[in-house]
Amino acid sequence: MNDVVSVTLLTGFLGAGKTTLINYFLSHHGDASVAILENEFGAVNIDGALLRDGENVHVVELSNGCVCCSVRGEFTAALNELLDKRASGEMRFERLIVETTGLADPAPVIQTFFVQERLREALRLDAVVTLVDCRHIQRQLDEHPVAAAQIGFADRILLTKADLCDEEEQNQALARIHRINNKAEIFHITQGECPAALWLDIAAFELSDGNALSQGFHIICAADVQAPRFMPFRQPVGGMRSWDDAIQAHVFEAGRLDLKKIGAFMKSCIARYGNDMLRYKGVLAVDDNPRRLIVQGVHKVAGFDYGAPWGGQEPVLSRLVIIGRYLPLDALRAAFLAAEITTAMGETAPDAKR
């Protein structure tokens, strides 16, 4: 039995299909050694009763409250109890899936895995996977800010019920989702049919060299043995609508950066605006260092490390992506660019890319 348990946080608004996805996984992985922490809003946990049980499947139910509101209490206690039972041999599981209620803000749930020492050492948060109901997401975003937060925190987005929408409805939904989160890969799935490899063991919280922006979505046909079919984003008919979602994705780009200046920028940015920075990642080119400087964070919890060296032929590009709300973008962009190395003539470094 592995010492560290991989944790997938499964979120998404009410009716998006979280339980259906888990049941598909359980029906196709009968030997899975998994614990499922199931939360529902209300005294009776209906979704927990709908999950397929099995010899190696342990379902733990939290009811009478939203998990994001009880992080310091019932949720943390449940995680510790699971670890106690695992340590004593009462329960055996190699994986933990946390399914939040559709009303939950993922932020405090995510932070739980980094704050308490025991949980930080025994549980490895793998990824936040958000299910989005294509048919109803526009109204949900208009009426419920938490729906945007669920998308903003996502490392991977599974778009459900797209088969019930026409092409223009799909394009409008995809455009709005991408405006909120331009980092997460998007997969169209039907009736929860999604190969486990596409939403489990993603390692999204590990510091990695890549920092690409999503350019399209993938269509999944579970019965098809071929790879998911990629489709580029299409402009909605009539052009891009203007949505007033508070949460949006922002990209900052520059060439090589002064280490002290970019360090001061990140420290100030996280201290002043961390509460409004849902997720952020930077792969930065630091002057006089051949290796990429990687930064990744959730609110005020951030990690920094050096990655692989820049290749000889690839353009050296510093890119910081912030998914946040109410940020002073002009000031942040100016401060980010102020960390860029300039030549004696006051021009940016020759390999800088705009």
Side-chain angles (χ1 to χ4, degrees), residues 9 12 17 47 53 67 98 106 112 143 148 153 229 264 278 293 323 342:
L9 179 60
D47 283 352
D53 214 341
V67 68
V98 178
T112 302
E143 299 179 357
F153 277 107
R229 181 160 54 96
L278 280 65
L293 175 62
I323 299 172
T342 58

Side-chain angles (χ1 to χ4, degrees), residues 23-75:
N23 272 333
Y24 180 83
F25 165 72
L26 295 177
S27 66
H28 289 76
H29 298 81
D31 59 346
S33 178
V34 59
I36 300 170
L37 192 55
E38 171 80 17
N39 180 229
E40 190 51 83
F41 193 83
V44 179
N45 194 317
I46 297 175
D47 283 352
L50 298 177
L51 287 173
R52 301 174 186 268
D53 214 341
E55 182 179 350
N56 299 317
V57 179
H58 307 278
V59 179
V60 178
E61 300 179 3
L62 297 177
S63 58
N64 199 27
C66 173
V67 68
C68 69
C69 301
S70 57
V71 168
R72 301 291 181 226
E74 189 179 5
F75 180 56

Side-chain angles (χ1 to χ4, degrees), residues 152 179-183 211 213 247-252 265-266 269-270 273-274 276-282 297 319-325 327 329 332-333 336:
R179 188 165 183 257
I180 295 170
N181 185 335
N182 60 9
K183 288 288 297 172
N211 199 20
L213 306 178
I247 297 172
Q248 295 181 25
H250 308 286
V251 182
F252 303 86
F265 167 80
M266 292 303 310
C269 193
I270 294 170
Y273 308 112
D276 290 316
M277 294 163 57
L278 280 65
R279 296 291 298 272
Y280 48 96
K281 181 175 182 179
R319 172 184 286 164
L320 174 66
V321 180
I322 301 177
I323 299 172
R325 59 195 166 208
L327 298 174
L329 292 177
L332 290 179
R333 196 175 304 280
F336 182 78

